Amino acid sequence: MQIEKMRSEHKLLKSFNYELKELEKGYANRTLYINLNDNHIEEQPVTQFMKDKFVGGKGFGLYKLWHAVKPETRWQDPENEIIIAPGPVCGITQYPGTGKSLVVSISPLTDMVIDSNVGGYVGPFLKFSGWDALEIQGKADKDVIIVIDGNDGSVQIEEAPLEAVDGHVLGEQLTEMYAKDEDDRRNVAVVTAGTAAENTLIGLLNFTFYDTRRKVARLKQAGRGGIGTVFRDKNIKGIVIRYAGTHGNMNNVDNISPINKAGIKIHKQIDKLDDVQCRMRQIGTANIVEVMDAYDLLPTHNYQYGSHKDTINIDSHTFVRDYITQNTPDGCWYGCSLSCAKAADHFELESGPYKGDKVVVDGPEYETAAGCGSNIGVFDPRGILELNFYCDTYGIDTISFGTLTAFVMECYERGIINKEITGGLELNFGNKWAAYELIHQMSRGEGFGKIAGLGIRKMKDIFEKEYGADRAFLDDIGMEQKGLEYSEYMSKESLAQQGGYGLTNKGPQHDEAWLIFMDMVNNQIPTFEDKAEALHYFPMFRTWFGLCGFCKLPWNDTTPESNATADEPAKMPEHVQNYVDIFNGVTGLSIDKHELIKQSERVYNFQRIFNIRMGKGLRKHDATPYRSMGPVTKEEYLSREERYDGQLKDLVGLDPTGLSVEDKMAKTREYRESQYEKLTDAVYLRRGWTPNGVPKVEKLEELGMDLPELLEVVKKHL
């Protein structure tokens, strides 16, 4: 269909004009509020209080959402919001990884706050257009798009009945529609979801960036927690942001000199060392597929095992050799020399409504290669790329899709569900064609795909109530926590990583703490106190990226030479100082590395209390499935029998000789579950929380977060 025909059918529902202003030390000093119930649009101020307590990005999103919802608000209620916020550093071009924005909402999967970080041009263009956050509330009656033009100073809400819904099509349509000419396409960024986001609870948002070399609107994802489902439930088809005129100091920073200095230093480091370190410019995060396999950490067959003989078929070298375009500067924001946003060009699809089309596949990221590969037994790179593409365009999270598909495949192989229940799908591990059909059913909202798309937590309820499954066993093997599916790392042999997944605010996502190598491989944090310190520092440090608009990859996916002699090499101290210098250079403040952590603690504790306000966020909600801790089945124990027997002898003080496998499993479980409880105690103590996981009043006072509305919540649980 012609773009002109589509646009001619648009109906303007509301137009809003605003005064164009320059940014000031990284801030626009205002946010944009839109209520789709009545198409109300207004400008709201960013106060000094908001900057002092919440910084920006995720912090602003949480602050706005707190004031928008009630404790009983659920994801599909009109008062739920989607907030997109870039942070004060977002949009600088001197340092890699500075195009991130954070998306915040109430999650369909967890019934509490979810936040998801995302690259692409949307966040920077939103800020350059004059807004520190976009806050969307209410529901439209019909499909609408929101159009922000940062050069004209206009916001429009338009009915859009004819455009596609799937991300790769709609991204192209809206880019062409709102660009003034071919060259202007680089100045248009789009937010989309997809057809499966309409029919599942695992919907994502795609944020585009226009690739001038490939001449295509590429997709980056705010993947976790079902925000795309909220997006489509609000009848938002897309968001378009146009801004022409990007240059190196859009943020009007206080002092550009330390920013330039830090940027020059890390660009040289990446150029010199990336090819011998993480190879991010070759393959992106998928460089670790074979590394995880070598250390028995690659989730295989629903996290039963950590390696597989066929991993060589999906390792990073295979993707580099056969699929991923090389020698292309694939940054998802200007100035990112790490260039990890890799893509497979001219990839011919072999299934679904786009079968035979040759497309650009953005990825695979490591999480996708593991989740849609080894975890479901698909050791076929084509299969991984096909699922990668359809997850993106249909608007669903590759992590949740991979983990929930692994769960249903294990349930199928163990006879908990059968072909009658799955509608004929033979969901054995390794059956990529069944995985294809499952995702296409999610897009269409039919068949077993509609059940699977509810996520693991709701599937466990269905399998127990309708099919008589053993609930305790489902809880053991269903790799979800707080309602969110696990990301793709084996945590059985790393107590710290068990905490890195379980003791989180939003659920088992590795962006809070990735401690497997520190703990399991390098034994750098042997005691409970060491682990607790790591589970305090790293979640706080990583939270800070989302307050400011940074990507975490340039922090620890490239290592400075100074790290060899650093006192705390796991923290990458040279890079930490870079971030301090950049933040101060942008904002004119004078924080140090300790205040950096305090900034995050304020927001982190606020989010914990937000969860408590929503009826979550206590110790019982931090419990994890046993498979994240140890072997659930006899097969799992026997696959590592020598290791487990040795641990019984060395750690438990029990001679396993003569014991049955079942007895050894029971003793192993008793020990490992007790270790997790002790770790939980230690982490809560270090974070300044009660044994029930509630932030103490004195901790809030220390942070300057003893706000009346927060004290009202916590005092009910003290």
Side-chain angles (χ1 to χ4, degrees):
M1 184 179 296
Q2 294 296 317
I3 296 296
E4 294 79 6
K5 170 64 174 173
M6 293 179 190
R7 192 163 189 179
S8 71
E9 293 297 317
H10 285 198
K11 177 182 177 182
L12 180 63
L13 302 177
K14 185 65 177 286
S15 182
F16 173 85
N17 295 311
Y18 62 95
E19 181 184 356
L20 297 175
K21 299 178 182 178
E22 288 190 344
L23 302 179
E24 182 181 352
K25 298 180 182 180
Y27 289 99
N29 293 310
R30 58 185 175 179
T31 64
L32 179 62
Y33 172 80
I34 298 174
N35 193 313
L36 294 173
N37 288 337
D38 58 2
N39 297 318
H40 176 70
I41 305 174
E42 71 176 56
E43 174 182 318
Q44 297 180 349
V46 169
T47 64
Q48 192 61 45
F49 171 84
M50 290 171 63
K51 295 179 185 178
D52 291 344
K53 303 297 185 184
F54 298 96
V55 183
K58 172 180 170 176
F60 282 8
L62 291 170
Y63 177 77
K64 290 287 188 179
L65 189 64
W66 173 283
H67 292 285
V69 302
K70 302 182 289 290
E72 60 272 17
T73 300
R74 293 297 174 259
W75 70 271
Q76 69 271 48
D77 293 334
E79 64 263 27
N80 187 22
E81 294 189 331
I82 296 173
I83 301 107
I84 302 170
V89 176
C90 179
I92 69 168
T93 60
Q94 293 80 11
Y95 200 85
T98 54
K100 289 279 191 172
S101 51
L102 270 288
V103 190
V104 176
S105 189
I106 300 296
S107 166
L109 291 169
T110 68
D111 287 326
M112 62 182 186
V113 183
I114 191 71
D115 61 90
S116 193
N117 76 80
V118 57
Y121 290 1
V122 170
F125 284 0
L126 176 65
K127 188 162 73 166
F128 301 164
S129 295
W131 308 106
D132 286 320
L134 170 61
E135 177 184 6
I136 305 172
Q137 193 172 38
K139 292 188 183 184
D141 294 329
K142 299 179 181 179
D143 276 346
V144 299
I145 59 172
I146 296 166
V147 183
I148 301 170
D149 192 310
N151 298 109
D152 294 343
S154 65
V155 182
Q156 295 188 159
I157 305 172
E158 305 174 6
E159 277 187 15
L162 299 184
E163 285 84 353
V165 173
D166 284 342
H168 82 292
V169 182
L170 181 59
E172 289 289 330
Q173 289 173 345
L174 295 181
T175 298
E176 180 180 350
M177 186 178 295
Y178 289 94
K180 297 184 183 302
D181 52 39
E182 171 65 33
D183 189 59
D184 193 46
R185 293 187 185 201
R186 72 180 68 202
N187 302 318
V188 176
V190 179
V191 182
T192 70
T195 48
E198 299 174 341
N199 298 308
T200 71
L201 300 184
I202 60 172
L204 60 70
L205 295 180
N206 291 298
F207 282 38
T208 73
F209 66 101
Y210 189 74
D211 189 323
T212 57
R213 294 170 180 82
R214 293 179 173 89
K215 298 190 181 302
V216 66
R218 303 272 304 279
L219 307 178
K220 301 300 290 184
Q221 290 73 38
R224 307 261 41 209
I227 302 175
T229 300
V230 180
F231 191 82
R232 290 303 294 135
D233 182 69
K234 291 182 176 297
N235 287 319
I236 307 171
K237 186 173 278 187
I239 300 170
V240 179
I241 305 177
R242 180 184 173 274
Y243 183 84
T246 299
H247 59 75
N249 191 16
M250 293 297 303
N251 281 286
N252 287 307
V253 303
D254 180 74
N255 182 1
I256 204 167
S257 178
I259 301 169
N260 286 336
K261 182 178 179 181
I264 291 168
K265 184 167 54 174
I266 198 168
H267 289 317
K268 288 180 177 178
Q269 173 187 310
I270 290 168
D271 183 63
K272 179 179 180 180
L273 298 176
D274 180 57
D275 287 347
V276 296
Q277 290 181 351
C278 292
R279 300 185 297 121
M280 299 297 284
R281 296 177 297 178
Q282 289 183 25
I283 187 57
T285 60
N287 73 84
I288 62 171
V289 170
E290 57 268 29
V291 178
M292 294 297 103
D293 185 81
Y295 284 100
D296 203 26
L297 294 170
L298 183 70
T300 304
H301 293 181
N302 195 31
Y303 302 87
Q304 294 180 77
Y305 314 110
S307 61
H308 195 279
K309 63 180 177 59
D310 293 332
T311 298
I312 192 172
N313 297 328
I314 60 167
D315 68 10
S316 66
H317 303 287
T318 299
F319 284 107
V320 168
R321 183 186 68 238
D322 297 335
Y323 298 99
I324 302 303
T325 303
Q326 296 298 296
N327 303 313
T328 302
D330 287 319
C332 67
W333 177 240
Y334 297 119
C336 188
S337 53
L338 206 58
S339 297
C340 73
K342 309 311 295 182
D345 293 315
H346 313 296
F347 181 81
E348 185 170 347
L349 298 167
E350 59 184 359
S351 73
Y354 306 110
K355 181 179 179 179
D357 288 1
K358 292 185 177 181
V359 297
V360 175
V361 183
D362 285 274
E365 302 283 357
Y366 163 76
E367 301 289 336
T368 304
C372 297
S374 60
N375 212 11
I376 64 173
V378 172
F379 294 92
D380 174 0
R382 288 196 58 84
I384 291 169
L385 288 169
E386 182 105 3
L387 291 170
N388 188 156
F389 172 81
Y390 275 114
C391 280
D392 291 350
T393 199
Y394 286 162
I396 55 176
D397 174 22
T398 59
I399 296 175
S400 280
F401 177 79
T403 299
L404 71 83
T405 301
F407 170 72
V408 298
M409 284 181 167
E410 181 171 359
C411 288
Y412 185 85
E413 292 205 344
R414 294 190 184 280
I416 295 169
I417 56 175
N418 55 35
K419 280 180 70 172
E420 182 179 354
I421 291 168
T422 66
L425 291 180
E426 296 181 347
L427 286 164
N428 298 96
F429 286 116
N431 188 345
K432 73 173 184 180
W433 296 100
Y436 291 173
E437 180 56 25
L438 190 68
I439 199 170
H440 298 320
Q441 288 183 3
M442 290 180 181
S443 168
R444 299 191 300 266
E446 63 187 38
F448 187 71
K450 194 166 181 63
I451 295 173
L454 296 173
I456 291 175
R457 176 161 289 190
K458 289 180 172 59
M459 277 196 286
K460 290 191 296 185
D461 292 338
I462 294 170
F463 292 180
E464 176 193 12
K465 293 173 184 176
E466 297 190 15
Y467 311 135
D470 179 347
R471 182 54 186 248
F473 184 70
L474 294 178
D475 285 339
D476 280 350
I477 70 168
M479 290 295 282
E480 61 84 15
Q481 193 245 18
K482 298 181 175 75
L484 185 68
E485 283 75 25
Y486 269 68
S487 69
E488 308 301 328
Y489 298 96
M490 288 280 289
S491 59
K492 289 178 183 176
E493 303 309 312
S494 171
L495 180 61
Q497 189 56 45
Q498 292 166 31
Y501 275 140
L503 306 177
T504 55
N505 274 332
K506 67 184 175 188
Q509 170 68 359
H510 57 283
D511 63 356
E512 278 201 20
W514 192 86
L515 300 173
I516 289 177
F517 268 63
M518 282 186 72
D519 187 36
M520 184 190 115
V521 178
N522 298 327
N523 197 31
Q524 293 170 286
I525 44 177
T527 69
F528 284 111
E529 291 73 19
D530 293 332
K531 290 176 171 60
E533 180 59 37
L535 285 166
H536 170 72
Y537 177 84
F538 288 103
M540 301 310 150
F541 184 71
R542 285 169 172 250
T543 291
W544 191 78
F545 292 139
L547 307 183
C548 297
F550 283 115
C551 172
K552 80 93 186 167
L553 296 178
W555 163 56
N556 69 347
D557 282 82
T558 174
T559 304
E561 291 176 320
S562 65
N563 229 47
T565 56
D567 290 338
E568 297 179 289
K571 294 182 179 180
M572 301 282 179
E574 181 179 318
H575 289 176
V576 173
Q577 190 59 48
N578 285 350
Y579 290 120
V580 169
D581 293 344
I582 292 168
F583 182 84
N584 290 339
V586 171
T587 64
L589 297 176
S590 185
I591 71 166
D592 59 17
K593 63 182 181 180
H594 305 293
E595 178 58 26
L596 180 158
I597 297 299
K598 282 286 179 64
Q599 288 181 327
S600 288
E601 281 192 276
R602 294 182 187 109
V603 176
Y604 196 91
N605 281 274
F606 181 86
Q607 187 170 356
R608 183 73 174 192
I609 296 168
F610 200 156
N611 287 343
I612 295 171
R613 180 187 180 218
M614 301 300 290
K616 312 289 184 179
L618 301 175
R619 186 180 186 118
K620 64 183 179 181
H621 302 109
D622 287 343
T624 61
Y626 181 62
R627 181 161 282 163
S628 72
M629 301 183 194
V632 174
T633 65
K634 187 174 181 179
E635 301 98 309
E636 289 170 77
Y637 192 97
L638 291 175
S639 73
R640 302 181 181 90
E641 185 174 22
E642 184 177 349
R643 176 193 302 170
Y644 293 143
D645 283 358
Q647 290 173 352
L648 283 174
K649 186 174 182 179
D650 297 338
L651 301 177
V652 184
L654 175 69
D655 185 354
T657 305
L659 293 178
S660 68
V661 173
E662 291 76 12
D663 287 341
K664 291 190 289 186
M665 288 172 59
K667 292 296 184 182
T668 297
R669 181 167 189 154
E670 179 183 346
Y671 172 74
R672 292 190 174 208
E673 289 180 335
S674 72
Q675 294 292 102
Y676 184 77
E677 294 302 317
K678 291 176 182 177
L679 177 69
T680 302
D681 289 334
V683 172
Y684 287 176
L685 180 65
R686 176 62 186 89
R687 291 180 179 175
W689 297 354
T690 71
N692 196 28
V694 179
K696 296 177 181 177
V697 172
E698 53 265 38
K699 182 63 178 180
L700 298 178
E701 291 173 342
E702 172 197 325
L703 296 172
M705 292 298 285
D706 50 334
L707 310 175
E709 59 267 37
L710 301 187
L711 295 177
E712 180 184 358
V713 174
V714 300
K715 286 181 177 179
K716 294 176 183 178
H717 297 274
L718 297 178

